[in-house]
Amino acid sequence: MVQKKFDVIVVGAGASGAIVASELAQQGLKVVCLDKGPAYTDEDFKMKFDEIRYYARGAIIPNMTSDPMTWREGSKDSSKLLPWVDGPLGTVNPLHLPPSLGTGGGSIHWGGACWRFRETEFTMKSTIEERLGKDFLPEDNTLEDWPISYQDLEPYYDRVEWDLGISGRGNNIAGEEHLSKNPWEAPRARDYPMPPLRQGPADQRFAEACSRLGFHPFRTAAAIASEPFKDRSGCTYCGFCHGYACHVNAKTSTHVATLPDGLKSGNLEVRDYCRVYKVNMSNDGSRATGVSYYDPQGRSVDIEADRVVLACYALENARLMLASGINKNGQVGKHLMTHAFGFFMGLTPESSNPFMGPLVASTAIEDFSGELVHDYDPSVFWGAPIISWPGDYQPLEIAQAMPENAPRWGAGFRDWMKDNYTRIWAMYSQTANIPTHETYVDLDPNRKDQYGQPVLRMTHGWSEMDQRAVEFLLKQKRKIAAEMNLTTWWEESSNPDYHVSTHEVGTHRMGENPATSVVDIFGRSHEVNNLFVIGGGQFPSYHGYNPTQTIQALAYMTVDQMLDKPMMSRVLPSTESRLDLAGGRHDHG
């Protein structure tokens, strides 16, 4: 069945797809947005305080029955169904799965950590070669600098913050002559539209300890309204945030922050429960003519458009391209990168009510971020912020995060939870793997999904270099924990068992050379000139920051290109010149 032709088909109504679909519709284009999950309304999440439904049973995230994925550590190994979610509790944690299904995608369950990348994050490879030598990186690495700079993306970062509503406090605003709390923040044209969220009690202890150690704590930005913003409520600090939808729409989820404006235009149609399985092509393969999808009744539907946008997720975008035969240069699925979190959990001396507030009502330090880590340990290839996690802990989550020596049943378990649950606090960092020829995704030749489609196979392991970065940051966390007077603590391995983190990137890399990249800087396919493939898969390198704000900034840049608008640009003073004027880079604490 072939349906009417649209101007644009957008596949995926998540963090980036909802932006593109809504913005194009508001400019008069006829757009259809397809998502394989439901179209959510406010009523769906009014009673969202259900750990069994959302955490233990993963009601809004993919599971291995409907969306199987396999994994292997190396290309010579046999693959198996994702082992860390294929257990008695099934999909137990959205941190270790692809993002949520339905309108809003991963922006439904995300914690709301909102970061701009620092300037050097866009030149990671050349910065490492300059500081550590050209032979420092492993021979099989596939790292590349970005084809755009921070200055190119800054206006679009600003647009995310002011269009969607991000709370925070800028530390490097144009025109300010003094250093604020984070001297390494990239320059910005203006501050956030809202002040930071209220700080969690244990977070204050973290910030004070970091200051005593000579570090530079600052409040993190959050994709959560700290006060009423447009037609959305401010945060109520309910304590059910990461892994859950927001029942008052304070969280910047695109199903409430973006899609409604597109729907009001009358030019946007959202179709839910539509599972796209193929991009359809012209006879010569140079153009996309539309897509094929299975509708809620399981019928195959063909739909046509002048342009097609794949905005599912880095992993699913790659799977769709491979399933559609779009991979002439062999680069689709390559250069996979993800995060190891280096979780570090402990007990504060006093109760800190960690069941209240979002995890991003927090503080971080960037003293070890990016190339700054080289001043402490030149054997570590790249650093990351250390971030406090002061709240948003539910009982079932803590029951699975207890130290190894804690009792798991009976009176001992009851007493441990009674004595310790209200004193839980954590910090984490996010270090990305070095992309190599052994970190990629492809189609598994031995397994198909319920529709007969090949499933995605992930090949990924943590190298010694990856683990060294995690271990360096764990050492710093131990110093901070001691300075905080934590009564006890426990930590994650530098070689964690998981290889999916909802932060996967790099699988359809952007670049200027069509032989070594999949898309250009706007997400336009080098191979299919009216196909756009957007999201974290565009990243040529990865860093210690959550990817969503950068993904959304790139989406706004794609919109401008599709509307034939000139690329926005600003000239701001660099962080380097700002630090030089201040009389130095940083102290070592």
Side-chain angles (χ1 to χ4, degrees):
M1 177 170 59
V2 180
Q3 296 192 350
K4 66 180 182 180
K5 188 172 182 179
F6 288 82
D7 293 322
V8 182
I9 297 169
V10 178
V11 183
S16 60
I19 288 174
V20 172
S22 181
E23 292 292 317
L24 295 180
Q26 290 177 71
Q27 295 300 315
L29 278 71
K30 296 296 183 182
V31 182
V32 61
C33 186
L34 309 172
D35 199 284
K36 62 183 175 183
Y40 293 111
T41 67
D42 289 350
E43 294 303 314
D44 291 316
F45 302 121
K46 289 297 184 186
M47 300 298 293
K48 60 86 179 275
F49 306 97
D50 188 339
E51 292 182 78
I52 298 294
R53 174 173 171 76
Y54 292 106
Y55 184 86
R57 295 176 179 167
I60 59 176
I61 54 181
N63 61 63
M64 294 300 101
T65 301
S66 62
D67 294 88
M69 183 187 303
T70 61
W71 166 82
R72 58 184 181 172
E73 188 164 10
S75 58
K76 296 181 180 179
D77 299 325
S78 298
S79 61
K80 53 186 175 181
L81 201 65
L82 288 183
W84 53 96
V85 297
D86 187 30
L89 292 179
T91 56
V92 297
N93 194 335
L95 278 176
H96 299 154
L97 278 172
S100 303
L101 303 172
T103 52
S107 68
I108 300 171
H109 80 246
W110 71 325
C114 221
W115 293 87
R116 294 182 176 203
F117 289 174
R118 294 171 57 249
E119 294 148 295
T120 53
E121 313 294 344
F122 294 86
T123 58
M124 181 177 178
K125 181 180 181 180
S126 59
T127 300
I128 289 174
E129 291 178 346
E130 178 185 340
R131 294 175 66 91
L132 303 178
K134 290 185 177 294
D135 297 328
F136 179 84
L137 292 170
E139 288 186 7
D140 66 340
N141 88 88
T142 61
L143 195 65
E144 292 291 344
D145 287 345
W146 289 50
I148 59 173
S149 68
Y150 171 82
Q151 296 278 4
D152 293 325
L153 211 53
E154 196 281 333
Y156 298 100
Y157 277 139
D158 179 89
R159 191 169 174 184
V160 173
E161 292 161 2
W162 283 82
D163 280 13
L164 303 185
I166 308 300
S167 61
R169 181 60 61 232
N171 294 286
N172 189 359
I173 303 168
E176 289 194 359
E177 297 180 357
H178 64 282
L179 283 173
S180 290
K181 294 184 177 181
N182 179 14
W184 305 289
E185 183 185 64
R188 54 172 54 244
R190 55 178 171 171
D191 206 348
Y192 294 95
M194 288 172 282
L197 295 164
R198 294 202 305 266
Q199 190 174 11
D203 189 62
Q204 297 175 25
R205 180 179 283 270
F206 169 79
E208 291 165 359
C210 288
S211 292
R212 290 194 298 270
L213 289 169
F215 304 142
H216 300 77
F218 62 95
R219 297 300 313 284
T220 57
I224 299 173
S226 60
E227 57 191 29
F229 181 81
K230 296 184 177 179
D231 58 350
R232 290 161 41 212
S233 169
C235 183
T236 62
Y237 301 88
C238 71
F240 282 77
C241 197
H242 82 285
Y244 300 83
C246 184
H247 67 297
V248 297
N249 292 340
K251 194 190 295 188
T252 305
S253 300
T254 53
H255 75 291
V256 296
T258 305
L259 280 178
D261 289 337
L263 292 169
K264 288 176 186 175
S265 73
N267 295 318
L268 172 61
E269 178 184 348
V270 176
R271 298 185 184 179
D272 58 353
Y273 296 110
C274 293
R275 183 177 291 264
V276 176
Y277 65 89
K278 184 174 63 173
V279 178
N280 297 319
M281 308 291 294
S282 61
N283 291 334
D284 63 2
S286 65
R287 292 183 61 79
T289 59
V291 302
S292 296
Y293 67 86
Y294 294 114
D295 71 7
Q297 288 73 44
R299 299 171 299 192
S300 179
V301 178
D302 293 342
I303 189 168
E304 297 181 345
D306 295 326
R307 288 179 285 186
V308 174
V309 180
L310 299 185
C312 309
Y313 185 58
L315 302 180
E316 181 63 8
N317 277 350
R319 193 195 71 80
L320 272 175
M321 293 184 78
L322 293 170
S324 304
I326 305 171
N327 189 26
K328 286 182 180 178
N329 66 1
Q331 290 294 304
V332 176
K334 304 299 184 185
H335 323 297
L336 172 69
M337 295 168 282
T338 191
H339 275 148
F341 293 110
F343 286 123
F344 188 105
M345 186 167 282
L347 302 176
T348 57
E350 68 288 315
S351 174
S352 61
N353 294 338
F355 49 85
M356 299 173 65
L359 73 93
V360 288
S362 64
T363 295
I365 58 172
E366 285 207 289
D367 297 70
F368 312 109
S369 289
E371 81 290 354
L372 303 177
V373 74
H374 302 157
D375 293 344
Y376 295 87
D377 187 343
S379 72
V380 177
F381 73 94
W382 207 250
I386 294 177
I387 310 164
S388 167
W389 186 325
D392 197 4
Y393 295 110
Q394 298 85 41
L396 285 183
E397 179 182 20
I398 297 306
Q400 295 189 51
M402 297 161 63
E404 290 185 2
N405 61 357
R408 292 301 196 275
W409 60 279
F413 170 74
R414 177 200 64 200
D415 292 343
W416 192 96
M417 288 292 285
K418 175 175 64 71
D419 295 338
N420 297 310
Y421 172 57
T422 64
R423 298 192 293 126
I424 287 285
W425 174 84
M427 54 183 148
Y428 67 103
S429 50
Q430 300 172 142
T431 52
N433 65 278
I434 288 283
T436 70
H437 295 296
E438 280 287 288
T439 57
Y440 62 92
V441 295
D442 62 359
L443 299 180
D444 194 320
N446 301 314
R447 187 182 290 268
K448 290 182 168 51
D449 64 17
Q450 59 186 324
Y451 297 96
Q453 295 290 302
V455 308
L456 195 72
R457 176 175 63 182
M458 172 181 289
T459 302
H460 178 273
W462 300 106
S463 72
E464 181 181 345
M465 185 171 285
D466 300 333
Q467 295 176 57
R468 197 181 303 146
V470 177
E471 178 57 34
F472 170 84
L473 291 166
L474 285 172
K475 289 179 181 177
Q476 311 312 314
K477 293 168 193 170
R478 293 171 201 140
K479 295 177 186 176
I480 295 170
E483 186 65 29
M484 290 177 65
N485 292 322
L486 298 189
T487 59
T488 186
W489 60 76
W490 56 101
E491 60 193 57
E492 183 177 72
S493 165
S494 61
N495 184 24
D497 291 335
Y498 58 82
H499 301 268
V500 177
S501 67
T502 75
H503 290 186
E504 284 67 55
V505 301
T507 55
H508 46 91
R509 171 180 284 182
M510 66 175 170
E512 297 173 340
N513 185 349
T516 58
S517 59
V518 177
V519 298
D520 66 15
I521 64 173
F522 303 106
R524 186 199 296 271
S525 167
H526 291 309
E527 183 175 337
V528 183
N529 58 28
N530 66 333
L531 174 68
F532 292 79
V533 191
I534 64 173
Q538 294 175 254
F539 293 11
S541 64
Y542 204 19
H543 325 109
Y545 305 92
N546 301 67
T548 305
Q549 186 175 357
T550 300
I551 288 171
Q552 293 181 322
L554 289 170
Y556 277 117
M557 199 167 82
T558 294
V559 167
D560 278 358
Q561 202 281 336
M562 295 182 75
L563 294 173
D564 295 323
K565 292 183 178 180
M567 188 170 167
M568 298 170 66
S569 62
R570 285 199 185 104
V571 178
L572 297 172
S574 70
T575 300
E576 289 293 333
S577 62
R578 180 169 170 261
L579 288 167
D580 291 341
L581 288 172
R585 292 186 58 82
H586 69 290
D587 59 64
H588 289 258

